[in-house]
């Protein structure tokens, strides 16, 4: 039997979910609608643990001041989106030392060949040909450590992280088989809602802040005027109808965004805009997104004025995370044969 989370009482234990996001700069509307909105919803039905994966971020060179700023802003933004650290510890990975420690150990249970096959490694080493560092290569075993330290039952991941989760499962099984059941083998969590949000300029590609054309993506903190401009410039087609169909990538994407922020179905949207032009539709999408982001932006501004509160949230979360993860790390080290610490 795989170990499960200990229950403090006899009530059925909620399943545990772990997820993390890198504080590597602007968080986009794509991140929000594709992942974060879902994290917020999961908090009620699962025992969630969330992290900012800042150790992962340094696999690409960072300017120290910018990195610090991005980290605190990402933290505040996620709280503004609705992560409640009272319910779900939300910590900063570099502040919980067990992550780096287990990652080293797992490196020794991960094969060079496995890591060489990771498509993200191949892509990133092409993109950063001048800095193909060992961290970039070993990034998936750090990610496995993040997940396995908390005995997570499930991990919500997008398509780009599926291969890494698969590897985490393999590492967990390998370790459990070599010693005895130690790690919960995590399943992917597939969200019922949420969408893959595409670039507004090239709707065949995922919305990404690394897109050179800033009109392709909406940042969570973009000003209303800029948001509206970007939607008005969004690439569509020459056919003219607002409905989902193959080949209408731009319109399909805008409909997807509109559905996510209004809760409407694609059919309702097609009805609403029957006989209406793209101009009118784009304005409606822009307005709906602006109204969705407005309260988040307001909360973000308030939180950034309250650094003591932010510090309290990430510190208390790190303490909880350290407590939980230390239990796993101790077990692992004992099984491997490290001498116990006597201090
Ligand atoms: N690698 C993930 C990304 O870049 C972030 C991440 C780090 C993560 N550790 C994780 C995601 C553990 C899920 C579980 O998006």
């Amino acid at each position: 039997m795989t170990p499960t989370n200990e229950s403090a009482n006899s009530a059925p234990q909620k399943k545990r979910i772990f997820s993390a996001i890198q504080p590597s700069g602007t968080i986009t509307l794509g991140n929000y609608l594709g992942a974060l909105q879902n994290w917020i919803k999961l908090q009620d039905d699962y025992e969630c643990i969330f992290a900012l994966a800042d150790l992962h971020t340094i696999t690409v060179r960072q300017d120290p001041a910018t990195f610090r700023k991005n980290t605190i802003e990402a933290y505040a933004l996620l709280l503004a989106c609705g992560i409640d650290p009272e319910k779900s510890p939300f910590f900063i990975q570099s502040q919980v030392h067990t992550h780096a420690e287990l990652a080293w150990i797992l490196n020794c249970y991960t094969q060079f060949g496995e890591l060489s096959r990771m498509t993200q490694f191949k892509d990133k080493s092409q993109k950063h040909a001048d800095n193909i560092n060992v961290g970039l290569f070993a990034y998936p075993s750090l990610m496995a450590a993040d997940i396995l330290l908390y005995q997570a039952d499930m991990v919500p991941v997008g398509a780009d992280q599926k291969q890494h989760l698969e590897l985490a499962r393999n590492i967990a099984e390998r370790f459990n088989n070599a010693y005895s059941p130690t790690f919960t083998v995590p399943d992917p969590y597939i969200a019922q809602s949420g969408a893959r949000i595409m670039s507004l300029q090239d709707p065949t590609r995922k919305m990404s802040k690394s897109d050179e054309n800033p009109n392709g993506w909406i940042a969570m903190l973009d000003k209303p005027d800029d948001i509206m401009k970007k939607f008005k410039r969004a690439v569509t087609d020459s056919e003219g109808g607002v409905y989902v169909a193959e080949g209408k990538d731009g319109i399909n994407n805008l409909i997807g965004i509109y559905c996510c922020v209004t809760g409407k179905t694609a059919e309702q949207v097609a009805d609403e805009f029957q006989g209406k032009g793209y101009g009118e539709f784009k304005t409606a999408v822009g307005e709906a997104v602006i109204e969705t982001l407005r309260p988040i932006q307001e909360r973000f501004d308030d939180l950034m004025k309250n650094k003591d509160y932010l510090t309290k949230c990430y510190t208390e979360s790190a303490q909880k995370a350290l407590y939980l993860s230390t239990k796993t790390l101790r077990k692992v080290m004992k099984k491997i044969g490290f001498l116990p610490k006597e201090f």
Side-chain angles (χ1 to χ4, degrees), residues 109 221 224:
Y109 295 80
L221 299 173

Side-chain angles (χ1 to χ4, degrees), residues 258-316:
Y258 193 63
C259 288
C260 274
V261 295
T262 59
K264 293 178 185 167
T265 66
E267 292 73 38
Q268 286 170 329
V269 178
D271 283 348
E272 186 180 343
F273 291 94
Q274 197 175 18
K276 295 185 180 156
Y278 285 167
E280 201 171 329
F281 177 54
K282 286 178 171 181
T283 305
V285 181
E287 274 166 5
V289 168
I290 289 167
E291 289 318 313
T292 301
L293 297 188
R294 190 188 305 280
I296 297 176
Q297 296 184 345
E298 285 170 2
R299 276 196 297 273
F300 172 82
D301 290 338
D302 287 344
L303 285 162
M304 286 303 287
K305 285 184 210 130
N306 199 344
K307 293 276 161 55
D308 289 348
Y309 176 71
L310 293 175
T311 307
K312 174 174 173 289
C313 290
Y314 65 68
T315 303
E316 287 177 2

Side-chain angles (χ1 to χ4, degrees), residues 329-338:
L329 183 64
R330 286 231 175 97
K331 273 191 222 162
V332 167
M333 293 182 76
K334 188 169 172 208
K335 292 192 191 196
I336 294 173
F338 287 110

Side-chain angles (χ1 to χ4, degrees), residues 18-22 53 56 139 143 146-147 155-157 161 164:
F18 180 90
S19 201
I21 186 170
Q22 288 194 46
H56 281 93
Y139 167 124
M143 180 164 157
D146 297 341
I147 299 164
V155 182
V157 281
Q161 296 297 325
H164 294 161

Side-chain angles (χ1 to χ4, degrees), residues 177-329:
N177 291 335
Y179 300 92
S180 57
T182 311
F183 296 123
T184 302
V185 180
D187 287 316
Y189 176 89
I190 315 289
Q192 287 110 342
S193 62
R196 195 169 143 80
I197 306 299
M198 312 305 278
S199 159
L200 300 181
Q201 290 297 314
D202 177 0
T204 60
R205 286 171 40 197
K206 198 174 132 176
M207 181 181 283
S208 161
K209 57 163 189 290
S210 43
D211 191 339
E212 303 92 61
N213 185 348
N215 287 324
W217 45 275
I218 306 283
M220 290 298 285
L221 299 173
D222 271 352
K223 302 244 174 333
D225 286 354
D226 294 326
I227 297 176
M228 189 53 89
K229 263 186 228 151
K230 289 183 188 181
F231 277 109
K232 287 196 170 153
R233 286 182 195 149
V235 167
T236 50
D237 54 70
S238 54
E239 184 263 357
V242 179
Y243 54 85
V244 174
E246 205 170 318
K248 290 170 72 74
D249 295 325
I251 285 295
N252 295 348
N253 186 38
L254 293 178
I255 293 178
I257 293 172
Y258 193 63
C259 288
C260 274
V261 295
T262 59
K264 293 178 185 167
T265 66
E267 292 73 38
Q268 286 170 329
V269 178
D271 283 348
E272 186 180 343
F273 291 94
Q274 197 175 18
K276 295 185 180 156
Y278 285 167
E280 201 171 329
F281 177 54
K282 286 178 171 181
T283 305
V285 181
E287 274 166 5
V289 168
I290 289 167
E291 289 318 313
T292 301
L293 297 188
R294 190 188 305 280
I296 297 176
Q297 296 184 345
E298 285 170 2
R299 276 196 297 273
F300 172 82
D301 290 338
D302 287 344
L303 285 162
M304 286 303 287
K305 285 184 210 130
N306 199 344
K307 293 276 161 55
D308 289 348
Y309 176 71
L310 293 175
T311 307
K312 174 174 173 289
C313 290
Y314 65 68
T315 303
E316 287 177 2
S317 295
Q319 284 163 340
K320 289 181 199 159
L322 180 63
Y323 173 78
L324 292 169
S325 58
T326 299
K327 286 205 270 189
T328 304
L329 183 64

